[in-house]
Amino acid sequence: MSMKKKFAALGIAAILATVSLTGCGSKKEEASNSPAPSKPAATESASAPASETTDNAVKLSGDFEIQYFVGGYGDKWWKQVIADFKAANPDLNIKESAGPKINEQMKPRWIGGTPPDFVYIDGPELFNRQMVEDGQLLDLTDWISTATNADGEKIIDLMAQAPQQYDGGKIYDIPLVLNAWGIFWDKKLFADKGWEEPKDWASFLATSEKVKADGITPFIHTGKYPYYILRSLLYPAVVSANNNDINIIKDMSESKVEAFNNPALLAGLNQIVELRDKGFIDKASVQINHTDSQMLFLQHKDAFIPNGLWLPNEMSKDVPAGFDFGFIPSVTQAAGGKVIANTSTATVGIAAKAKNPEAAKAFLAFMFSKAQASQFAELSGAPSNIKGDISSSNAPNFVKDAAKFLTDSNTVVIPFFAFNQDVENAMYDATVALTISKITPEEWIKRVSDVAKKVSK
């Protein structure tokens, strides 16, 4: 996964419908509270390489190019879905442009006006909103309103996460992956030690005491990239302290100074201080990167780690035999309180200058079948954006665990909100300083609110 902003399970529509809405799944997510872009020109190719068959089905042919980034989710699912689509469309010549550096390699083509037909918007160098503002993505508003998948079901009705709307309601990219931040542990280790798996803040602290007494550090995070602890621990804590109202995070993302002076933020920061003062945070966290912190976690040097659902797949080559990932979206809630799930997404789109837009639309529809959604969970170790019960699938246990939380009506879901970069950087620096006792929670708030005040002028 890219080391910018990263990021579940099938069937979370019931929760996410109530909100408007990279480690290594997605490096960035563009939020709807960003300034509205100017309307891009979305022009389809006039030479559509498709023809009508006798049964009125579109017969796809010609060349069709797909660009996809290979990061924490791997490429197993992409290889399989493309093979399945090719089998269904034997006259189509499909080209895969893929790899961990594919976005950088393809950038000249996007700039030069010769992009691939279809793109997975994840990894470095690709930014949803910027692509929209630059007129690089096809307007899918009308198409998605009636499009059906291979099962004949309306795609828009199957989505757990609704597509983001730009420029007064226009849709240019479709959420494919849904992810959640949270806290991981090894179920096998906990069972062997007789430790209780966390359900809330009290049980998390109680288990951490036992972990520490056993000579293991309870908690490690990646101090080099502080958004891991912010998104997995602080944001859920703040929402819990704000009577489960997610708008405080939205207001913070909009640099509203009053949001940073909300007592709920102080309460959340004090929970980090409690971990710090109890000696639960690994001192290596201050400068360590994501892969090193994850390796220490896998080696049982640390019992808990804040991360996203891409973690097991990203570290698949290093996971010890028998390691069984446990996961909960939040531990900061009071006993009996609601779980807070902080989510992220990665999307797909069609190039405005696609040479074969019909094939691209057909592929997009093909991807959003329930069978492909289940296959995505199994092969990528991550959740798809399609409703469905995966309890009987071969998806990893931690994805099924996430699904149980995310389909629970008591779960509060935080959609992704993009922060001003200066404010976010101030939060990162202040959070690292807080975890090593350099500053107090009050000083954290002053540092960040001062920056918010400056950028909001």
Side-chain angles (χ1 to χ4, degrees), residues 107-123:
K107 192 173 182 179
R109 287 183 53 188
W110 283 95
I111 295 173
T114 59
D117 301 289
F118 185 93
V119 60
Y120 171 50
I121 307 172
D122 188 23

Side-chain angles (χ1 to χ4, degrees), residues 9 42 48 50 61 68 82 84 99 157 167 171 220 227 235 263 267 305 313 316 363 369 424-425 430 433 445:
S61 61
Y68 63 89
I82 291 171
D84 293 344
D157 294 338
D167 190 28
I171 294 171
I220 191 168
Y227 57 83
Y235 291 177
I305 190 170
N313 194 56
S316 59
F363 181 59
S369 69
E424 197 158 50
N425 286 338
I445 290 171

Side-chain angles (χ1 to χ4, degrees), residues 112-362:
T114 59
D117 301 289
F118 185 93
V119 60
Y120 171 50
I121 307 172
D122 188 23
E125 304 294 337
L126 287 186
F127 298 86
N128 312 48
R129 183 171 291 279
Q130 191 63 51
M131 295 181 80
V132 170
E133 292 175 346
D134 291 345
Q136 293 178 332
L137 298 180
L138 188 69
D139 184 348
L140 299 175
T141 312
D142 293 337
W143 178 80
I144 196 62
S145 66
T146 60
T148 57
N149 64 10
D151 307 315
E153 301 168 300
K154 285 186 68 174
I155 297 172
I156 196 72
D157 294 338
L158 292 173
M159 290 186 188
Q161 163 73 66
Q164 182 174 334
Q165 297 184 357
Y166 305 83
D167 190 28
K170 295 292 185 179
I171 294 171
Y172 295 94
D173 58 328
I174 308 297
L176 170 67
V177 185
L178 265 182
N179 226 312
W181 295 88
I183 305 298
F184 283 90
W185 62 91
D186 179 5
K187 287 187 172 186
K188 183 179 184 302
L189 174 66
F190 275 49
D192 291 346
K193 297 287 189 178
W195 297 336
E196 179 185 4
E197 297 187 0
K199 303 182 295 294
D200 47 44
W201 190 241
S203 60
F204 177 69
L205 292 179
T207 295
S208 294
E209 289 284 6
K210 294 179 181 179
V211 170
K212 185 180 178 182
D214 204 276
I216 299 174
T217 307
F219 187 85
I220 191 168
H221 68 99
T222 174
K224 190 172 182 179
Y225 307 105
Y227 57 83
Y228 281 77
I229 190 171
L230 285 174
R231 297 183 183 181
S232 299
L233 198 75
L234 182 61
Y235 291 177
V238 170
V239 170
S240 288
N242 198 46
N243 297 316
N244 298 324
D245 184 353
I246 66 171
N247 283 312
I248 186 172
I249 305 298
K250 181 176 184 293
D251 290 344
M252 289 167 61
S253 74
E254 294 174 352
S255 303
K256 294 182 179 179
V257 177
E258 61 271 21
F260 292 97
N261 292 315
N262 188 313
L265 176 55
L266 180 61
L269 292 168
N270 277 324
Q271 286 186 277
I272 293 179
V273 169
E274 187 170 9
L275 285 184
R276 180 197 73 190
D277 292 349
K278 288 180 178 292
F280 291 165
I281 300 177
D282 192 325
K283 292 180 180 179
S285 296
V286 63
Q287 292 183 326
I288 203 168
N289 66 23
H290 69 301
T291 51
D292 288 342
S293 65
Q294 290 161 189
M295 185 63 73
L296 290 173
F297 166 69
L298 293 177
Q299 294 171 349
H300 292 158
K301 304 295 184 182
D302 305 274
F304 293 110
I305 190 170
N307 220 293
L309 286 173
W310 55 81
L311 165 63
N313 194 56
E314 183 178 22
M315 301 298 289
S316 59
K317 295 180 180 179
D318 300 300
V319 177
F323 200 101
D324 186 7
F325 290 93
F327 174 83
I328 186 171
S330 67
V331 295
T332 49
Q333 63 274 8
K338 293 185 176 183
V339 169
I340 313 295
N342 191 21
T343 61
S344 64
T345 186
T347 65
V348 292
I350 298 172
K353 295 184 178 181
K355 299 295 190 298
N356 199 341
E358 285 74 22
K361 289 176 181 177

